[in-house]
Amino acid sequence: MTDIKKYFEKSELIPAIVQDAGTGDVLMLAYMNEHSFKKTLETGYTWFWSRSRGELWNKGATSGNMQEVIEIYADCDLDTLLIKVVQKGPACHTGSMSCFLNKVEENSKNE
Amino acid sequence: MTDIKKYFEKSELIPAIVQDAGTGDVLMLAYMNEHSFKKTLETGYTWFWSRSRGELWNKGATSGNMQEVIEIYADCDLDTLLIKVVQKGPACHTGSMSCFLNKVEENSKNE
């Protein structure tokens, strides 16, 4: 196993951005701890830490909407991950491909 | 001002993914509090909360590498933002266009 401890020096949980490897769409953001990152590397599918449920979470294990990992990048200060995936089915629990569907209105700039 | 308080109900700081509106490349991730989000909406350029410096941070104000906001989306549970921008110059303080340049080796899966 690669030395993944360096990503968790500042925090036990770090954000992982999930991006569609084909379209470039940002699908979701979830959190990883060291254990879930290790499972992701070992299995080639995404594992996260669910903050609300307080447990490891294999994305798609229940819904079937799994994410096959294509590439993983860490950012310049090693506290955020970018995971490029092939997404099976919708990424969002609402049934949408991406979780980022709530547009913040532009006119809110001037209100 | 639009009701932006709803994004900060669970946490004072939320992650904001910055994506190049043209290429779809994910450039960086930084954190926003309510004040920085308000400034972003008001000015049309990105403002963040620097966790290390403990202060508001107008991205590019010093370097000139500013981010013009094109669109903003919130995710399904309203605790993460996706900000599509036109990036002037490199996004990363290392001089790279994107902060996500540290590839996590694939062979770490089986080591």
Side-chain angles (χ1 to χ4, degrees), chain A residues 14-30:
Chain A
I14 62 174
I17 303 161
V18 181
Q19 184 179 31
D20 187 299
T23 65
D25 289 346
V26 176
L27 300 175
M28 55 181 275
L29 180 142

Side-chain angles (χ1 to χ4, degrees), chain A residues 20-74:
Chain A
D20 187 299
T23 65
D25 289 346
V26 176
L27 300 175
M28 55 181 275
L29 180 142
Y31 291 83
M32 284 192 179
N33 61 7
E34 190 176 330
H35 191 185
S36 64
F37 191 30
K38 185 165 175 272
K39 295 281 282 182
T40 298
L41 290 170
E42 283 172 355
T43 63
Y45 287 86
T46 55
W47 287 73
F48 302 104
W49 178 260
S50 168
R51 298 183 302 170
S52 57
R53 298 194 303 274
E55 62 181 20
L56 273 189
W57 163 42
N58 182 200
K59 168 67 183 167
T62 307
S63 65
N65 303 329
M66 301 192 73
Q67 297 171 334
E68 183 186 350
V69 175
I70 304 300
E71 288 180 316
I72 302 180
Y73 292 87

Side-chain angles (χ1 to χ4, degrees), chain B:
Chain B
M1 178 57 57
T2 187
D3 179 16
I4 62 173
K5 286 190 189 301
K6 62 187 173 190
Y7 303 116
F8 302 94
E9 282 175 4
K10 281 185 269 184
S11 177
E12 283 181 20
L13 286 184
I14 62 174
I17 303 162
V18 181
Q19 184 179 31
D20 187 300
T23 65
D25 289 345
V26 175
L27 300 175
M28 56 180 276
L29 179 142
Y31 291 83
M32 284 192 179
N33 61 6
E34 191 177 329
H35 191 185
S36 64
F37 191 29
K38 186 165 173 273
K39 296 281 282 182
T40 298
L41 291 170
E42 283 173 356
T43 63
Y45 287 85
T46 55
W47 288 73
F48 303 103
W49 177 259
S50 167
R51 298 183 303 170
S52 57
R53 297 194 303 274
E55 62 182 20
L56 274 189
W57 164 42
N58 182 199
K59 168 67 183 169
T62 306
S63 64
N65 303 329
M66 301 192 74
Q67 297 171 333
E68 183 186 351
V69 176
I70 304 300
E71 288 181 315
I72 303 180
Y73 292 87
D75 73 341
C76 52
D77 47 5
L78 306 181
D79 61 6
T80 304
L81 299 172
L82 174 64
I83 305 184
K84 300 192 181 190
V85 304
V86 172
Q87 171 70 53
K88 195 171 170 183
C92 188
H93 74 283
T94 63
S96 300
M97 264 314 282
S98 166
C99 290
F100 293 96
L101 286 180
N102 299 298
K103 189 168 184 188
V104 178
E105 294 301 328
E106 291 178 42
N107 64 6
S108 58
K109 284 180 190 175
N110 302 315
E111 276 171 11

